[in-house]
Amino acid sequence: MSATLLRPAAETPPSARPPARRGSALTMVTVYLALLIGWPSSVTISAFGSLGRPAVLWGLGLLVWWVLTRLQEGDDRGTQRRPQPVRWAYGALLVVVLISFAAAMFRGQPGDQVTVAISSVLRILSWGGVLLVLADGIRTREELEQLLGRLTLAGTLLAGLGLLQFVLQQSMLDWFGNLPGLSADLGGVDSRGAFTRAAGTAAHPLEYTAVICAVLPLAVTVGLARARAGRGRLPWTWIPAGVLVLAALLSVSRSAVVGLVVAVLLSLPALPRTYRWIVALSCMGAVMAVIALVPGMYGTMTELFTGATEDPSTLSRTNALAHVPDFVAASPVIGLAFGTFLPRYYIFDNQWVLLTLELGLVGAAAFTLLVLSAVWSSANAARRAAAPGPDAVARGIAASMLTVSVMFLFFDGLSFTMSGGMFFLLAGAAAAARAVARPGHPATRVRSRNVT
């Protein structure tokens, strides 16, 4: 593959930029997205053990591709690199992960924790491969819009599968367990009250709801951008958003409701005033429709919030927070090593707390920096956008990034392949948005033809 495929947009002169072709960064990341969402997270390739998820393996391949490409470029003194805060923030997080891992190995660890620690480092590297390829490989606004359109499509299909699981009360994925060479831990479907808790292809309902809530701001803003560009009627372009909202409401989850509210509120500033009322009223209409058409749903959801003080999962989260200082005291600076705080010690359904334990205060700060740099990069891209459509899309990336970060307060999202991969994919999209939105960049003059 040519090294120019991953040359950052700011480094490649317009006259030297090759046309998009097969094997491009967009194509490679699209394959990753298909594996991340389309392949059940609970199904692994037996020969690779815990690393046997195809999305993780493909992400590692993307990292190798990125490194080889950078080495082929050599010391190009004649070009100016555009600073990428997201890339630097990821580098800082990776350094903390490696230092914490080395310290843990020197201290000595039980055999099962060594295996988990190694696989956790490889997952961070895999996610980094996706982030770096997006940051340096997306070269035009057209490619960025295509990426976000495919993200929206993947999230909509995931939500559609979840709706089928809710209606049919079965996972519809059992046949994966019969395929040779695969290990499956599908475990059927979960339930709460009288309703099925859908998970789609995710390993857990919380992972499923985190992904669909994270995709919702993209569905709203990309749909509006497509309608503005004359590539579809406005009601039709918002069908993906409607499917995502309906799936979140029927997920029978407190965190899904919170995530839905956050996603909608963060999406509104990116929309013109006229459409803000339309979106808000449409969401209220969806809530009323679910209450009217699904008997018992209103009572079940109300009980989830009014009975939260007596709910075992809520009590577990609350009680766990009281023990955080004791665990942090063991290694407050660099933590215990990413992935090594196993459920047998304690269960923290909070990724931010778990990250503080595993990577210390320095690691938590690096992760926060990654979130903030991605949001800032998206906001910067929105400010530099030459048209309302790209402006809204860039704001949608920021809203999605904040949504998934809020959802991480309710479960350990980086312990799951799909939610972790979605987080880093959005961070890479934020970096790409900043790269293609600089003043005078040819991307600002590209007329997008298709979003998907």
Side-chain angles (χ1 to χ4, degrees):
M1 295 180 187
S2 171
T4 57
L5 286 176
L6 285 181
R7 186 182 298 276
E11 297 179 23
T12 306
S15 59
R17 186 174 295 108
R21 59 185 182 273
R22 294 177 64 184
S24 68
L26 176 61
T27 302
M28 301 294 277
V29 174
T30 299
V31 174
Y32 174 82
L33 178 62
L35 294 174
L36 182 71
I37 302 297
W39 186 275
S41 296
S42 299
V43 178
T44 61
I45 301 174
S46 303
F48 292 94
S50 60
L51 289 174
R53 292 174 176 83
V56 174
L57 297 175
W58 191 263
L60 291 172
L62 291 178
L63 179 63
V64 172
W65 182 34
W66 182 85
V67 171
L68 292 176
T69 301
R70 305 305 290 180
L71 292 175
Q72 290 174 15
E73 287 177 3
D75 227 2
D76 194 349
R77 303 290 186 185
T79 58
Q80 292 289 330
R81 291 182 184 273
R82 179 169 175 77
Q84 274 287 13
V86 173
R87 188 163 50 203
W88 284 104
Y90 168 73
L93 178 63
L94 180 60
V95 168
V96 177
V97 168
L98 295 177
I99 292 175
S100 181
F101 171 79
M105 294 304 103
F106 278 120
R107 289 195 302 266
Q109 301 290 321
D112 59 343
Q113 286 192 190
V114 172
T115 302
V116 171
I118 294 174
S119 63
S120 297
V121 170
L122 290 176
R123 278 192 292 117
I124 286 287
L125 290 172
S126 172
W127 291 331
V130 180
L131 185 154
L132 293 170
V133 167
L134 282 175
D136 289 345
I138 298 298
R139 298 163 299 162
T140 66
R141 194 188 75 203
E142 180 182 39
E143 288 183 338
L144 178 63
E145 288 187 352
Q146 289 176 342
L147 170 69
L148 299 181
R150 293 170 189 181
L151 258 172
T152 299
L153 176 62
T156 304
L157 293 175
L158 177 67
L161 176 60
L163 291 175
L164 285 177
Q165 292 173 339
F166 178 84
V167 173
L168 301 178
Q169 300 183 8
Q170 54 182 322
S171 71
M172 303 172 62
L173 301 174
D174 296 337
W175 58 276
F176 271 94
N178 299 323
L179 297 178
L182 301 180
S183 298
D185 185 21
L186 297 171
V189 293
D190 197 3
S191 62
R192 175 171 280 172
F195 300 103
T196 297
R197 295 186 69 189
T201 54
H204 193 276
L206 288 177
E207 182 185 25
Y208 161 77
T209 55
V211 172
I212 61 176
C213 288
V215 173
L216 178 58
L218 294 180
V220 173
T221 53
V222 170
L224 180 60
R226 291 190 66 180
R228 277 177 159 175
R231 296 192 297 270
R233 295 179 180 273
L234 188 59
W236 291 104
T237 60
W238 278 359
I239 285 180
V243 173
L244 291 165
V245 168
L246 186 61
L249 290 174
L250 294 177
S251 62
V252 202
S253 170
R254 279 186 299 267
S255 60
V257 174
V258 173
L260 178 60
V261 172
V262 170
V264 172
L265 291 179
L266 291 175
S267 299
L268 294 180
L271 302 175
R273 290 185 178 180
T274 304
Y275 295 116
R276 292 175 190 174
W277 284 105
I278 294 176
V279 171
L281 292 175
S282 297
C283 289
M284 293 178 61
V287 172
M288 297 301 178
V290 167
I291 292 175
L293 299 177
V294 185
M297 179 60 72
Y298 175 74
T300 300
M301 294 303 298
T302 301
E303 177 63 25
L304 287 178
F305 288 93
T306 58
T309 55
E310 300 177 359
D311 182 70
S313 63
T314 304
L315 292 175
S316 175
R317 288 187 177 99
T318 304
N319 294 335
L321 293 176
H323 296 279
V324 171
D326 298 331
F327 288 116
V328 171
S331 182
V333 179
I334 59 173
L336 306 172
F338 184 63
T340 60
F341 196 88
L342 302 179
R344 68 170 178 245
Y345 300 126
Y346 222 91
I347 296 178
F348 291 97
D349 286 325
N350 186 320
Q351 183 58 61
W352 292 89
V353 170
L354 188 60
L355 204 66
T356 304
L357 297 178
E358 294 181 339
L359 294 179
L361 298 176
V362 176
F367 187 74
T368 303
L369 181 62
L370 178 58
V371 174
L372 294 179
S373 63
V375 173
W376 181 86
S377 295
S378 302
N380 181 264
R383 189 174 66 252
R384 295 175 181 271
D391 170 37
V393 169
R395 290 176 183 271
I397 298 174
S400 292
M401 192 70 190
L402 286 172
T403 300
V404 73
S405 299
V406 171
M407 294 294 286
F408 278 4
L409 291 170
F410 302 101
F411 79 117
D412 49 333
L414 295 183
S415 299
F416 297 89
T417 303
M418 189 182 296
S419 53
M422 180 60 66
F423 175 87
F424 282 90
L425 208 158
L426 289 171
R434 171 173 162 78
V436 303
R438 77 182 192 278
H441 190 281
T444 61
R445 300 190 295 271
V446 171
R447 177 177 177 81
S448 300
R449 295 184 298 273
N450 293 298
V451 175
T452 58

